Amino acid sequence: MRESVLEESVRELIDAAAVAGGRPDPANALVDFLRTALLTALARPGLTDVLITGSDETESLQRAKGELVEATSGLLARVRPAPALTGENLLKLLCGLIHAVSEHPAERQGAAIDNYLGILRAGLAPAP
């Protein structure tokens, strides 16, 4: 049961990545996807474990994670033709952001998300 709920969450993230992929500004689209993914993960305990682990209990969940890696890789490719990050590494970075945000009191988590994503967005700016 838990696996199916978490797989559903992964599929929601795949859908969110697809929506972000259709937005005109690639860097903002990536940040919007990460915001959605952060909020989803904060609302669904256990999702972080699924995203960060290399071993999944079901083949279906493993396939869904592979699709999510492909989707996030596509978002990264739009930002930079040869991104330093891979989709898999972006998901691990997302897990770190989830942990960092969850350490803030609930009333400050929204501001923490804005701050962390602002830092990430600045790092995605094209080099002069």
Side-chain angles (χ1 to χ4, degrees):
M1 177 69 168
R2 179 176 182 263
E3 290 277 327
S4 64
V5 170
L6 293 174
E7 181 179 339
E8 182 180 315
S9 297
V10 171
R11 297 222 170 266
E12 287 174 21
L13 295 182
I14 293 166
D15 292 343
V19 168
R23 295 203 174 115
D25 181 330
N28 285 335
L30 178 61
V31 170
D32 289 345
F33 164 75
L34 289 172
R35 180 182 310 281
T36 298
L38 277 165
L39 293 170
T40 299
L42 288 168
R44 304 224 172 78
L47 183 56
T48 304
D49 294 336
V50 167
L51 294 176
I52 205 159
T53 187
S55 60
D56 301 303
E57 293 183 24
T58 67
E59 189 175 315
S60 179
L61 181 55
Q62 200 167 26
R63 274 194 311 273
K65 279 180 52 178
E67 291 174 37
L68 182 57
V69 166
E70 286 181 36
T72 56
S73 293
L75 292 174
L76 284 167
R78 289 184 62 217
V79 175
R80 295 185 178 163
L85 281 175
T86 64
E88 185 177 355
N89 289 333
L90 181 65
L91 293 179
K92 291 186 185 324
L93 175 62
L94 172 64
C95 291
L97 289 171
I98 294 163
H99 176 75
V101 169
S102 70
E103 291 295 311
H104 291 273
E107 66 274 5
R108 291 186 29 224
Q109 287 183 353
I113 289 171
D114 290 344
N115 289 335
Y116 293 133
L117 292 179
I119 292 167
L120 181 65
R121 174 65 181 93
L124 294 172

